[in-house]
Amino acid sequence: MTREQRRAAAKAKKEAAIRKKQSKPAAPGDLPTSSEEESESDGDLGPANPNHTAKSRSQASALPRDPAAAPTKPSSSKSTPLSQLSRREREAVQAQQAKERYQKMHAEGKTDEAKADLARLSLIKEKREQEAARRKAEKEEKEEAEKA
């Protein structure tokens, strides 16, 4: 056997292994429906629906079917008192409550950040009103000059 023949045999063996690895059993959605086969003449290489992949099917099967039957973990003090929670859970609940209090106060305009935002917005509003008044005055002057 010559060197070229050994190379060709090795190459053929490698290509056969690659083809074997790439060929897998057809999964639902990989094969087009009969109506798609009739309408398709160019021969699409991808699956009929790109969302029908093995990864998406495994993720879909991992999700609970009924959202009401999904397991819920005790996340607030409404279901269990704070003293019965672990330190990390208690700190997480307290942090969430503090965040909600801050958001409520911010929406009411009682926090320093909200006050600064409102002050900045009032300055911007005042500046825009002045600009609008200036433009209106210039427009009126221009009209007066055209009339004269």
Side-chain angles (χ1 to χ4, degrees):
M1 193 176 228
T2 65
R3 183 175 184 188
E4 288 82 21
Q5 291 173 337
R6 284 195 308 269
R7 279 188 173 174
K11 189 174 182 181
K13 186 177 178 183
K14 184 177 179 181
E15 288 175 355
I18 290 172
R19 272 188 260 114
K20 183 179 179 185
K21 187 176 182 181
Q22 288 177 348
S23 67
K24 57 184 177 183
D30 287 346
L31 299 176
T33 62
S34 59
S35 62
E36 290 175 353
E37 287 176 359
E38 295 169 5
S39 65
E40 263 184 27
S41 61
D42 59 349
D44 189 23
L45 298 176
N49 184 346
N51 295 327
H52 287 191
T53 61
K55 184 176 181 184
S56 65
R57 282 191 302 275
S58 66
Q59 288 176 348
S61 64
L63 292 175
R65 297 284 180 197
D66 186 17
T72 58
K73 61 181 193 178
S75 59
S76 67
S77 61
K78 297 172 187 168
S79 61
T80 58
L82 285 176
S83 61
Q84 293 181 352
L85 297 175
S86 69
R87 180 183 60 85
R88 286 185 182 173
E89 291 172 337
R90 185 173 58 248
E91 287 175 355
V93 168
Q94 289 172 346
Q96 179 65 28
Q97 290 172 346
K99 186 176 181 181
E100 289 171 359
R101 276 194 307 272
Y102 181 82
Q103 288 176 348
K104 182 179 177 187
M105 288 180 65
H106 186 77
E108 294 171 357
K110 295 181 180 178
T111 63
D112 293 337
E113 186 180 356
K115 290 175 184 175
D117 288 345
L118 291 172
R120 184 171 31 87
L121 290 173
S122 66
L123 288 174
I124 292 171
K125 185 177 180 183
E126 183 179 321
K127 188 176 182 181
R128 286 180 181 169
E129 288 173 353
Q130 290 173 354
E131 281 293 314
R134 184 186 57 81
R135 281 193 304 268
K136 185 177 179 183
E138 287 177 356
K139 184 178 179 183
E140 289 175 356
E141 286 178 13
K142 188 176 182 182
E143 289 175 357
E144 296 271 332
E146 287 177 0
K147 286 181 181 178

